[in-house]
Structures are given as C-alpha cells and as structure tokens.
Amino acid sequence: MRDKFDIYPYLRDVMRQGGTAESARKGLIDAGWSSQQIETAFSAWHLVPGLPPIPRARPSIRPGEALVQAIGFTALAMIAIFTVRIGFGLAEILTPGIGQTGYRSGPGRWSVAMLIVFLPVFAMVHLRVRPGATPQIRRWLAAFSGFLASMALLSAGAAAVHSFLSGDLNLRFALKMAIVFLSATLAYFTYRAELSDGRPSRKAPEALACLSVLAILAGLTITGGPAEGRAEVRDAQRRSDISALSIQAQCLARDGFSVPPIGVSSSCPNLPPLNDPLTGDPYGITTKEDGTLRVCAIYESRQYNTRPNPDDGCLTIRLMELDEAN
C-alpha cells in the first residue's frame, strides 16, 4: 500500500493545480528524491498542455505471463543445480586419488536428462526477445534468485573456510567451489537487470546455457550412451547372480554336498542363474586347495570393468570351514 507521502499523488496534485514539470522536479530534488525516482514517477503520467495529467496504463500481472515466468525460474534453478552436479562429478574424475568418493553413472544420467529437458525451456523464457516493459513478476523472481544465488555463494565461502581450517582444502575442493561460484554468479546475473529496472540482458543467460551444454556433453562422456547403460544393467544382474550363487554354495556345503557343481537340495531349493545374461556362457566357479570357492563373472561396462583389481569380479567363499563345522 502506498503511504501519504508517495511521489505519485504529489505530482498529480501539482499538475492539476497548473504547476510545471520543471517546478515539480526542482521541488522533489530539494526534498531529497533521487533523479531516478523522479523520472520513474513522471513516466507514470502522460502530460498534455491544457489537460489534467493522464495516468498511463500500468502493466498488470497476467496469469499466463506469471506461469511462463514461474516455469522459467524453475528451469533456471534446475539448470544451475544439475550443471553443478555434473561439474562435481567431473572434478572427482579429474582429481583421482583425492578422497574416496567416485562418480556414479546413475545420478549422472539423471543430471544429463534434467539438463536436456530444462535447457530448451530456459532458452525460450530467458533468451527470447521480450518487447515492452518487464513484467512485475519477473522483478520479484529477480529478487528471489538474487537471494538464492547470494546464499549459494555465502555457503560456498563458508565451506571453503571450513575446509581450510580442517586441512582439507585441496584441488578437488577448489574445482567444486569454482563450479558453484560460476553457476551461482551466472544465475544471479540472469535477472540482474530487472533489479535495477534496466533492460534485460542476454549475456548471462547465454553464458549459463553454454555452460549447461558443456555439462551435457561432459555428462554423456562420463556416463556413456544407452549402450553403456544397458551394459551396466547386465553387470548389475551379474553381480546379483554371483552373490546368489555364493549363498547357494554355502547352503549346499552346510548340507554336506560337494561344491562345485552348484545345484539344489531340500534346504536350498532355488537355483540361481548359472549363465551370463548376454553371452549365455556359464559363470566361472572354481575351487582352490585351501578350500575356497571362487564365483566369477566377466563385466562389460566401464563402471565395473575398469577396476584395477581383477578379483573385483569374483566372490570368494571358504567352504572348508563349513565342511569341518558339519
């Protein structure tokens, strides 16, 4: 609600009483109003000599425009968040040996999928030509985006200080903080012009869109395409199979059966898959002199097949101890 000292009714009264724009402007300057406030107030009236001041039509918030801007703001948030997530994964890959975390393909594909879906929405809302005045709803979203971006930057700064005090300030952490800083800054400047009633600029949204395109390409390179995804599904099935075979072998050994082969018994009636889901070849099941049983599978995806230890594809069970216990 406007208070009684608002500049707009003052200008209206001055003009109705025959005052000039110059005298009104001088009086407002003497009263401490800024030139920007004065010009904004004058722009609300259409002045015609010999006529009372005519109020200009003010843009209203249309439901359709509000919906578009809300979707655009959501797209901006999704672009910034998932660009950062892919950037974090890339930082972990570029800094091997620092820490114990690693990049997983599943979350990486979700990030790529979200960027592919929301990037066109972001482009349509923030890169299109918008004739006329900036919608009021966009100014409110500008303020809110500025708040969120500021909180992200302050939180990143606090995390950097905490890591420094904890002795964990390393190259991986520095790369992640740089990604957060860059994304938050571009998100803030996407709406920066609206905060000062200026003309919206395309530079920040174009830069953010380019950054998200690079993130998509990096994410696809890291996670692989659909073929790699199908290979990971089959590898997950292989790991499940050899785990089930190991449990079946333990059950048979407790019942006094000789393993291998792996079969069924009254206590162990369910036989797990014995063959690879893609090639149909049987899983490797071997015993050693020390009484251990090894159940192995050959993996095809990068997530499982690039581990330095070849025994990672095998599970080892000590059946000798189970036989002696019986």
Side-chain angles (χ1 to χ4, degrees), residues 277-298:
L278 177 64
T279 64
D281 297 332
Y283 291 118
I285 303 174
T286 58
T287 56
K288 290 188 175 183
E289 295 179 356
D290 60 356
T292 59
L293 177 76
R294 286 166 54 84
V295 184
C296 303
I298 298 177

Side-chain angles (χ1 to χ4, degrees), residues 62-138:
R62 295 175 297 174
E65 184 65 29
L67 176 62
V68 169
Q69 295 301 328
I71 294 175
F73 179 81
T74 303
L76 169 64
M78 294 298 102
I79 289 292
I81 291 171
F82 289 102
T83 296
V84 167
R85 289 188 62 177
I86 292 179
F88 278 15
L90 187 61
E92 292 182 359
I93 291 176
L94 294 176
T95 54
I98 300 179
Q100 301 297 324
T101 58
Y103 191 64
R104 295 176 297 170
S105 297
R109 289 195 180 93
W110 268 115
S111 298
V112 172
M114 295 294 283
L115 286 179
I116 291 176
V117 170
F118 279 100
L119 180 57
V121 179
F122 173 83
M124 285 188 293
V125 175
H126 296 281
L127 298 182
R128 64 173 182 167
V129 178
R130 293 183 297 274
T134 301
Q136 187 68 23
I137 184 66
R138 189 173 171 87

Side-chain angles (χ1 to χ4, degrees), residues 15-31:
M15 297 304 173
R16 284 180 176 177
Q17 295 173 9
T20 63
E22 289 72 17
S23 62
R25 184 177 284 105
K26 183 178 182 305
L28 289 169
I29 293 175
D30 294 340

